Amino acid sequence: MRAGGYSRGPAGRAAQGVFAMAAASARAISEVPVEPIGLGRFQEVVSPAAYRHLAHTVVQARERFAGRTIWNVNSTARGGGVAEMLSSLVAYARGAGLDTRWVVIEGQQEFFRVTKRVHNQIQGYPGDGGELGEAEHGTYERALEPAASELAAAVRPGDVVLLHDPQTAGLTAEIKRAGAVVVWRCHVGMDSPNEIAVGAWRFLRPYLADADAYVFSRSTFAWDGFEHSKVRVIAPSIDPLTPKNSPLSAARASAILISAGIVEAYSASLPFYQRPNGSVGMVCDRADMLQLEPLRPADRFVTQVSRWDRLKDPVGVLNGFGEHVPNAHLVLAGPQPGAVDDDPEGAAVLKEVVDAWHALPEAVRRRVHLARLPMRDAEQNAAIVNALQSNAAVIVQKSLAEGFGLTVAEAMWKGRPVVASGIGGIQEQIEDGRSGVLLGDPTDLAAMGREITRLLAECERAATMGAAAQERVRRHFLSDRHLRQYAEMLSSFVA
Ligand code: UDP
């Protein structure tokens, strides 16, 4: 998961726009309005036993949380895995009758520069190379003060507040003083923390002393220095019922890719997708493409879809593909750079990718397509990501660090063979050689190329792997499991 984000805007499940909770003159927090969604449709995708378990948990949770509000606080309403999950989980919790709210904190560039540094450093990378010292504590604390007071005034004693990621850790003390239960949910981590990661913990830990629980995505991510009994492990999840993950036929996915300008052809199918509220959406915004010539429907392509972040190593994917995958096309896709305003490194990383593309030999450049996906409408963006993932021959996630990597679960859910780095949360998802391929060394470009080439050549193996991947996600990484674990954990605080 990430610590940065895209510009404030409607989340996947949110109604248009975000309204300020406080007076417009002092907007330090804003609420993301989320339409409730019933859990009934889970019957279509999970086993009867899993659905019964979910329904039972909901009945208990409704009793336990009567009269209380469950708050989620993060720093962006769209973009990246945390916003992706909140838009679903909050909608389902509301649909289940729990008073659940989602609030985002406002931040200035200076604040996000510090929190992006913390985000990179928790994953063991220096990021912009700056320090996390007194000056950064000052920037961080000053930026959070107004949000802390507004939030503390809004929560009531007995409420439960889930604070997500480094940006919100500094709210803990003030919210505790207001009498709420505070759970800090960290979406990033590192299996064997180095000095850099430990330095980032040192920066954040004092802010978290009063929290009632600390949730990590993987047991190896838990930090030293937290009371053992307060540490919980809950893996992230994807929502199988969204425009991002609902099944798309190959023809419908093609129609969407054509309409988005990623594939050039005539399509008799219309680029429709279903919105979560049941209405029909149509892809009409176009991606900005950097390419020598467009993809054709018969071209087999490999894709990586990610924010423009060095830890996703888009330049490595591009160079490794160019050098080591002799045929097929690569679509490297991410958000339009204009959409990124609290992820200060996104535009610079995109520029590095564009420069690397220009430096490719012409014959390779002909097979490499950079797609900047439209972000005006989050659901439309999701449908385009779905179409890319559904029609790709192989999906890559060559991250250098990854808290979980929702894109991996998304690809697996579509029954695609995935080649991904064997690091962080990706290892929770893929069983190497069975439900995907894990790269032992994420910097080994030749190995990445070899594994992609092999999957392109061995269709049966790719299909078997894809089927195993889909089943694995169904059992372990869908929202129903995530909702149950949250409900069980939070119930223990309000019993
Ligand atoms: N994503 C998207 N549009 C883009 C790029 C990414 O919708 O142009 C989504 C992607 O499908 C996934 C999320 O952003 O749902 C990224 O989550 P992940 O955990 O993979 O990485 P993070 O960005 O949180 O580090």
Side-chain angles (χ1 to χ4, degrees):
M1 300 305 118
R2 64 186 298 258
Y6 308 138
S7 62
R8 189 65 29 76
R13 294 295 177 90
Q16 294 295 306
V18 175
F19 59 85
M21 290 183 70
S25 56
R27 264 181 59 170
I29 56 175
S30 309
E31 181 162 2
V32 184
V34 181
E35 296 295 333
I37 296 190
L39 290 162
R41 278 191 61 207
F42 271 91
Q43 288 178 93
E44 298 166 25
V45 285
V46 302
S47 69
Y51 184 72
R52 276 197 303 277
H53 196 168
L54 179 64
H56 178 69
T57 309
V58 163
V59 171
Q60 282 188 328
R62 233 182 260 136
E63 267 172 40
R64 285 269 162 84
F65 294 102
R68 298 171 196 266
T69 302
I70 302 168
W71 301 79
N72 281 275
V73 188
N74 79 324
S75 66
T76 182
R78 71 172 180 175
V82 177
E84 178 83 14
M85 280 189 289
L86 286 180
S87 61
S88 288
L89 297 176
V90 171
Y92 289 128
R94 290 172 70 84
L98 305 173
D99 180 17
T100 309
R101 301 171 74 169
W102 176 10
V103 164
V104 291
I105 55 170
E106 296 292 329
Q108 300 300 322
Q109 220 185 347
E110 212 28 33
F111 172 71
F112 287 122
R113 203 174 47 73
V114 172
T115 57
K116 179 76 187 186
R117 193 176 296 161
V118 177
H119 168 86
N120 282 323
Q121 298 197 2
I122 286 181
Q123 299 184 93
Y125 285 83
D128 67 1
E131 294 186 6
L132 291 176
E134 280 310 306
E136 288 70 25
H137 276 292
T139 303
Y140 182 77
E141 289 165 21
R142 274 192 305 278
L144 284 176
E145 261 167 34
S149 343
E150 281 179 31
L151 199 55
V155 303
R156 290 161 308 173
D159 282 358
V160 175
V161 182
L162 282 152
L163 300 175
H164 295 267
D165 273 340
Q167 298 94 324
T168 63
L171 302 171
T172 307
E174 191 76 18
I175 311 300
K176 275 302 289 177
R177 268 195 290 278
V181 171
V182 176
V183 175
W184 185 62
R185 170 67 154 124
C186 184
H187 294 269
V188 286
M190 194 180 184
D191 283 340
S192 308
N194 58 15
E195 267 308 299
I196 297 176
V198 172
W201 297 359
R202 223 176 283 129
F203 179 85
L204 282 185
R205 211 163 23 205
Y207 300 115
L208 293 162
D210 298 337
D212 295 281
Y214 310 99
V215 180
F216 293 92
S217 297
R218 177 171 161 82
S219 57
T220 47
F221 288 176
W223 302 358
D224 293 339
F226 284 152
E227 215 177 287
H228 189 66
S229 62
K230 289 186 175 181
V231 173
R232 306 280 195 285
V233 176
I234 298 182
S237 62
I238 61 164
D239 183 345
L241 304 170
T242 52
K244 172 123 355 129
N245 296 313
S246 299
L248 278 182
S249 67
R252 184 55 47 82
S254 285
I256 289 175
L257 294 177
I258 291 167
S259 189
I262 297 171
V263 171
E264 192 174 271
Y266 166 78
S267 168
S269 299
L270 287 170
F272 284 137
Y273 61 92
Q274 198 180 15
R275 292 188 183 271
N277 65 9
S279 70
V280 162
M282 187 149 85
V283 170
C284 46
D285 291 352
R286 290 173 76 79
D288 284 333
M289 301 299 296
L290 179 63
Q291 57 192 356
L292 285 183
E293 41 193 59
L295 271 177
R296 310 270 167 204
D299 293 332
R300 290 210 302 165
F301 69 88
V302 173
T303 194
Q304 174 167 300
V305 181
S306 283
R307 288 177 301 107
W308 306 107
D309 185 320
R310 288 191 190 91
L311 295 184
K312 311 288 183 185
D313 199 16
V315 172
V317 175
L318 181 140
N319 288 330
F321 184 89
E323 274 178 49
H324 302 289
V325 182
N327 37 45
H329 290 249
L330 171 69
V331 179
L332 207 47
Q336 260 166 0
V340 181
D341 73 0
D342 62 351
D343 185 355
E345 292 170 6
V349 175
L350 178 57
K351 185 175 178 309
E352 289 165 16
V353 178
V354 169
D355 291 347
W357 181 85
H358 281 289
L360 290 171
E362 190 187 322
V364 175
R365 223 179 315 142
R366 218 161 272 292
R367 297 189 287 117
V368 176
H369 313 258
L370 300 189
R372 287 154 295 188
L373 306 181
M375 294 292 289
R376 184 184 62 85
D377 175 335
E379 288 170 0
Q380 189 180 170
N381 173 277
I384 298 171
V385 171
N386 188 345
L388 271 173
Q389 292 171 333
S390 297
N391 276 12
V394 176
I395 293 176
V396 183
Q397 192 58 55
K398 205 194 85 60
S399 304
L400 302 175
E402 198 62 78
F404 184 72
L406 288 184
T407 49
V408 172
E410 288 163 5
M412 292 169 75
W413 177 241
K414 282 141 201 153
R416 310 321 297 157
V418 182
V419 174
S421 306
I423 42 121
I426 296 176
Q427 300 162 94
E428 301 278 334
Q429 303 180 62
I430 293 179
E431 311 138 292
D432 189 25
R434 206 184 104 71
S435 44
V437 175
L438 289 179
L439 299 170
D441 173 3
T443 62
D444 185 346
L445 302 185
M448 179 196 81
R450 204 169 42 244
E451 295 298 346
I452 293 173
T453 307
R454 199 174 152 209
L455 280 166
L456 287 169
E458 298 175 7
C459 303
E460 257 180 51
R461 178 166 164 265
T464 308
M465 214 172 244
Q470 189 177 54
E471 250 348 271
R472 183 158 173 80
V473 171
R474 191 189 311 281
R475 291 168 73 99
H476 301 287
F477 302 114
L478 297 184
S479 331
D480 62 313
R481 185 270 307 152
H482 204 167
L483 284 164
R484 269 196 286 108
Q485 281 186 300
Y486 265 146
E488 284 157 12
M489 172 185 67
L490 299 182
S491 294
S492 68
F493 296 116
V494 299

